[in-house]
Every structure is written in structure tokens, then in C-alpha cells.
Amino acid sequence: DEFDKMEDSDRTAIHEVMEQQTVSIAKAGITTTLNARTSVLAAANHAYSRYNPSKSVAENINMPAALLSRFDLMWLIRDKPDLARDRALAEHVTHVHTFCHHPELGFEAVDPKTIRAYVSAAKRFTPTVPPELVEHIVDEYVALRQKDANDPVHNDGFTSARTLLAILRLAQALARVRFSETVASEDVAEARRLMEMSKDSVHGEREEKTHLSPQDKADRIAALVNDLIAGNGGDFIKISDVMPQLIAMGCSPEDLERTIDEYENLAVWTRINDGNTIKLIDPDMD
């Protein structure tokens, strides 16, 4: 907590932990280097009285970009006035203050003992990336690089080899959650989606995207699908390769289904491979 208020000496130490995954110790005549085997979850406050959307995250929390770039995901949580949410929070706080316990939940919470057992079991798995998935991961990384190059205005960070390592780490973590020893393409797609959501959180564009009209969504989906097909140099694209970017745009699988139906009726697209792939009927059509 209070990650932005750490001393310079602590920042130097955490640089080593997050870059080299080691911890150097020099104390009581003992000098050694140990492996760092933990994830870093940090929370920081903005440096000014209010968060300034016109400034970058590094400028808002007054931390070096070199340190922030070592985090796989960054989420911006802004305290915006909201009548229903503010009322629910105030009622919860006053209830706890009055009765010394939280109000009754509308659902059955998972027992902490069950959570600990689940996490302990998941740690026993060490997922690996199968050879047939390597090319797909490379394509995902290249697509991220191209997206940043084509939209430098909304690119607050720089996609580098660290991003590729982040995709691998997230995909392996998702496979571990499934109790699997092998990373699947769905894990890579979800890792990419999480990174897109993280960027949208920082840029503050997610709220605007969720208010698109159905026709605007269909137009954006069609443009994205056609661009991906053209980028592949062929006339088809797998739906699983499209979904991460669609979700990042604020669209749902149902929006994609409606768009596919619409363009099938227009004789522009068709489905192949049991409906899992979109094929362009006329590649020369604009």
C-alpha cells in the first residue's frame, strides 16, 4: 500500500525484484541473493488533489515510468460521484458503525478455507506453452505492437518484450486456475483481453465505448473483422482471434453474432468450420 510514498532506496530494491526476480541481502555479515517467488500487488494515490485525465499515470502518481512498466496490469480506480453507489456505501458504513457487523449479504460467500485450499492446489501446476500455440502468441504480440503504432495518441505506454512476457505469465496463471498443465488459446485470448481492459481503464475510454448504439457497434465490428482478415493476408479469421479486441471495444459476443447474421444476409461473410470462422465471400469487395 502507498506504493507512491516509498523511499528511493526501496524503489531501487523493488526494481531488482521486478526486473531480475531476485532479492539481494547484505545484513549481519551475510551477503547473498535469493530468488523472488511472489507477485507484486501495489496500490498508489495520485500526487495532486484530484486525478488529472490529461496527464499520464506516471505523472499523476509521481512515479518513474521505468518502474510502472514492470507491472503486467494497471487499473485506474476513480472515485466518481454516483447516486446509487454512494448511497449503498453510506448505508453499509452506517450499518457497521451502528450494529458492529456487516449487513446480510445477498449471496453465499465462499468459505476462506475453501479459497486457501483451491489456491494451494493450483500452485502445484506448472503450465507450459505447447509448440502449436507459439505462433498464435507471436501474432498476438505483433498485433499489439501494430495497434500502438497505428494509434500513438491513445498509447500511454509502449508495447515491448515485457508485454510479451506479461502475456505468457497471465496465460500460464489462467491455465493454473483451470488446474491444467498446458496453456490453451483461450488463456492467451483472455490474457490479451485483460491487457486491453487495463489500457482502457487507464485511458478512461471504456465508459464511452459501452454507450455505442447497436448500429455503431455493428459498423465497428465489421471494420475490425475486415481489417484483421486483410492483415492475415487471407479471406478468413477465427472468431476466437476476434473476441479479445471486440470485448476491449465494449462489444459482446451477442453483438458479434448479430453483426455476422447481418453480413451473411448481405452476402459479404459466411461461416465455416462449424461456425467458428468468418470467411469473406468476396475478398475484393470494399
Side-chain angles (χ1 to χ4, degrees), residues 3 27 33 133:
F3 193 67
K27 191 173 184 180
T33 300
L133 200 59

Side-chain angles (χ1 to χ4, degrees), residues 92-103:
H92 179 87
V93 172
T94 52
H95 186 283
V96 173
H97 184 76
T98 303
F99 300 102
C100 299
H101 63 82
H102 64 76

Side-chain angles (χ1 to χ4, degrees), residues 218-286:
D219 292 342
R220 290 196 176 194
I221 290 172
L224 174 63
V225 170
N226 290 331
D227 287 344
L228 291 175
I229 291 176
N232 287 342
D235 60 353
F236 66 90
I237 187 72
K238 292 181 179 178
I239 292 179
S240 60
D241 294 337
V242 179
M243 281 312 304
Q245 296 188 49
L246 289 184
I247 296 175
M249 291 166 51
C251 301
S252 66
E254 291 75 19
D255 295 325
L256 176 60
E257 288 296 324
R258 285 193 293 267
T259 304
I260 294 176
D261 292 340
E262 177 182 343
Y263 277 73
E264 278 187 322
N265 294 333
L266 295 173
V268 177
W269 296 345
T270 186
R271 300 174 193 248
I272 59 175
N273 296 335
D274 297 328
N276 296 320
T277 301
I278 303 171
K279 186 179 187 299
L280 192 63
I281 294 179
D282 184 4
D284 298 326
M285 183 178 296
D286 188 2

Side-chain angles (χ1 to χ4, degrees), residues 39 47 50-51 57 59 82 86 101 112 116 146-147 179 211 236 243 245 276 278:
S39 299
R50 300 181 69 88
Y51 188 88
V57 176
E59 292 173 324
D82 182 275
D86 293 344
H101 63 82
R116 285 193 294 269
Q146 288 300 117
K147 182 178 180 180
F179 290 176
H211 290 84
F236 66 90
M243 281 312 304
Q245 296 188 49
N276 296 320
I278 303 171

Side-chain angles (χ1 to χ4, degrees), residues 167-185:
I167 293 176
L168 290 172
R169 280 191 292 266
L170 291 171
Q172 288 177 311
L174 290 163
R176 191 176 287 115
V177 168
R178 296 188 295 104
F179 290 176
S180 174
E181 291 286 3
T182 305
V183 174
S185 59

Side-chain angles (χ1 to χ4, degrees), residues 16 26 34 62 83 89 148 150 153 158 166 204 209 211 226 237:
E16 178 192 358
L34 304 176
N62 192 26
L83 180 61
L89 175 63
D148 287 348
N150 295 333
V153 175
F158 178 69
K209 294 176 182 176
H211 290 84
N226 290 331
I237 187 72

